[in-house]
Amino acid sequence: SGDYEVNLIPRPSLEVFSATLQYPAYLGRVNESLNNVGNLLVPEGTRISWSFRSTDTDSLLVVFGQGAAVADQRADDEEFTFATKAMRSENYQVKLKNRYGFNKEDINYYLDVIPDQFPKVTLESFKDTTLFNYLVFGGNISDDYGFSKLSIVYEIEPADEEDTRERKGSIALPLQPKQTIQNYYHQWSLEKLKLVPGDKIRYYVQVWDNDGVNGAKSAKSAVFTFAVPSEKELEANQEQLSKQTGTQIGNALTKASKLKKEIDNLENRLKTKRQLDYQDKKQIEEVLKKRSELNQELQKLQDQLKSLSEQQN
């Protein structure tokens, strides 16, 4: 047959590409560049700038799962750039085109975006049940990148509905903004609130992270309630404590009397001995131990009486 000529039509081809990652400033991370890495794992809000070097290409299309965007063409006809802010995880495809058609094989990648998580907070609270004028509380807070604010938030429920005091408020607590896991502790004096018998306070701790993309997100602890007993409740409580303390004093006196007899008997028995044996030493140790326990019990009773007296005043 005669001779024929086959003309090869060039397909567009991707040679190399790079991605520059510009992280949100609040993360404090150093920006970086990656070469020929298509599958990316980045924090939410990262600005990604791609540079594509290709051959036989008239235009380049970056297609995301939710839409499409065309890369800008530079002065160099074979290089294209495209930039976006990563806000969600999705697949993306790079398509090259010339006047004859598209690239031969699909170029598919996955953009994995790590969202800024909500902070977490715990709260443990201890109440002054004697004078009802302070609260001690503490706990821990945690977040993936850091914090912007930590506060205790409270609301007063007065015994008298016509009370004109300010009912809501908050107190800022100190924290380390860049430390992702930390403990907090605070002793809260309630004197400024001028609580009266029958008042209640509901309170919780709230923490805000430092999310520079979506705005600071917050989390709250469980809600606690602190109630100041009414006068009748205080009187009933004091009466019960007085009876309980009286019983404890009687028991302590009985123990003291028994201990004195043991000491006297031991002293009389040891007077006739020139040398102590094992049993003697053991009995002395037991007597000293009982004496120490009794002293601790008496100190506890003394503190209890003092607390009762303060509460009565």
Side-chain angles (χ1 to χ4, degrees):
S1 70
D3 294 335
Y4 295 91
E5 184 175 306
V6 177
N7 292 323
L8 296 181
I9 299 173
R11 285 183 179 273
S13 175
L14 181 62
E15 299 296 328
V16 295
F17 65 96
S18 64
T20 300
L21 309 180
Q22 185 178 354
Y23 299 113
Y26 79 99
L27 300 183
R29 291 181 60 173
V30 178
N31 298 336
E32 57 182 323
S33 295
L34 304 174
N35 294 320
N36 297 320
V37 178
N39 294 318
L40 300 174
L41 177 65
V42 298
E44 183 181 16
T46 300
R47 182 169 178 79
I48 308 173
S49 300
W50 283 278
S51 176
F52 301 95
R53 170 69 66 175
S54 61
T55 57
D56 299 312
T57 304
D58 295 331
S59 63
L60 184 146
L61 192 68
V62 180
V63 183
F64 286 90
Q66 301 297 324
V70 181
D72 296 330
Q73 185 172 347
R74 289 190 175 184
D76 184 344
D77 291 340
E78 302 297 341
E79 186 173 357
F80 301 88
T81 61
F82 176 73
T84 187
K85 181 182 285 189
M87 297 301 293
R88 60 177 176 268
S89 298
E90 56 186 338
N91 294 302
Y92 71 97
Q93 187 179 48
V94 180
K95 289 187 175 183
L96 296 85
K97 185 180 180 181
N98 61 21
R99 64 183 181 275
Y100 302 114
F102 293 93
N103 48 300
K104 182 178 180 180
E105 297 179 354
D106 291 340
I107 305 174
N108 296 304
Y109 297 113
Y110 187 71
L111 175 60
D112 194 356
V113 176
I114 305 172
D116 190 306
Q117 301 296 323
F118 274 79
K120 297 179 181 179
V121 57
T122 63
L123 172 62
E124 293 185 17
S125 182
F126 305 91
K127 308 172 183 179
D128 171 21
T129 56
T130 301
L131 303 179
F132 305 98
N133 61 3
Y134 71 87
L135 289 169
V136 177
F137 58 86
N140 64 72
I141 54 176
S142 60
D143 187 61
D144 43 4
Y145 297 117
F147 309 95
S148 60
K149 185 180 177 182
L150 177 66
S151 297
I152 178 169
V153 182
Y154 65 89
E155 181 177 1
I156 301 174
E157 184 180 313
D160 183 0
E161 293 184 358
E162 297 182 0
D163 196 306
T164 58
R165 282 175 296 170
E166 185 69 33
R167 299 194 179 190
K168 295 183 178 180
S170 64
I171 301 172
L173 303 178
L175 56 76
Q176 300 295 326
K178 297 297 183 181
Q179 190 173 328
T180 58
I181 299 176
Q182 56 187 286
N183 298 322
Y184 67 90
Y185 170 86
H186 184 70
Q187 181 168 318
W188 182 18
S189 175
L190 304 176
E191 293 181 356
K192 293 182 179 179
L193 301 181
K194 298 180 181 179
L195 299 177
V196 298
D199 282 353
K200 291 182 180 179
I201 304 177
R202 290 185 175 84
Y203 61 95
Y204 57 87
V205 170
Q206 187 170 9
V207 63
W208 288 260
D209 68 5
N210 61 348
D211 191 339
V213 177
N214 305 294
K217 305 183 298 296
S218 70
K220 300 177 182 178
S221 70
V223 179
F224 286 72
T225 300
F226 177 71
V228 180
S230 65
E231 292 184 10
K232 289 184 178 180
E233 290 173 333
L234 282 172
E235 290 174 359
N237 184 52
Q238 290 168 11
E239 184 177 352
Q240 182 181 355
L241 285 176
S242 296
K243 291 180 180 179
Q244 182 180 341
T245 304
T247 301
Q248 291 174 338
I249 291 175
N251 293 336
L253 290 173
T254 301
K255 289 181 182 179
S257 179
K258 289 182 179 179
L259 182 60
K260 185 176 184 305
K261 289 180 181 179
E262 287 186 35
I263 294 175
D264 291 341
N265 293 335
L266 180 62
E267 184 177 344
N268 292 331
R269 188 162 61 83
L270 296 180
K271 284 180 180 179
T272 60
K273 288 194 172 187
R274 293 184 178 181
Q275 189 173 358
L276 300 180
D277 56 23
Y278 175 79
Q279 292 295 333
D280 295 332
K281 293 179 180 179
K282 194 70 176 175
Q283 190 171 1
I284 292 173
E285 288 178 1
E286 291 178 358
V287 168
L288 291 175
K289 182 180 178 182
K290 289 181 180 179
R291 180 182 176 184
S292 176
E293 291 174 349
L294 182 60
N295 285 336
Q296 292 178 6
E297 188 174 341
L298 291 173
Q299 182 60 49
K300 186 177 179 181
L301 279 171
Q302 185 177 350
D303 294 339
Q304 194 168 313
L305 286 170
K306 182 181 178 181
S307 174
L308 182 61
S309 175
E310 290 177 345
Q311 192 177 91
Q312 288 171 342
N313 290 335

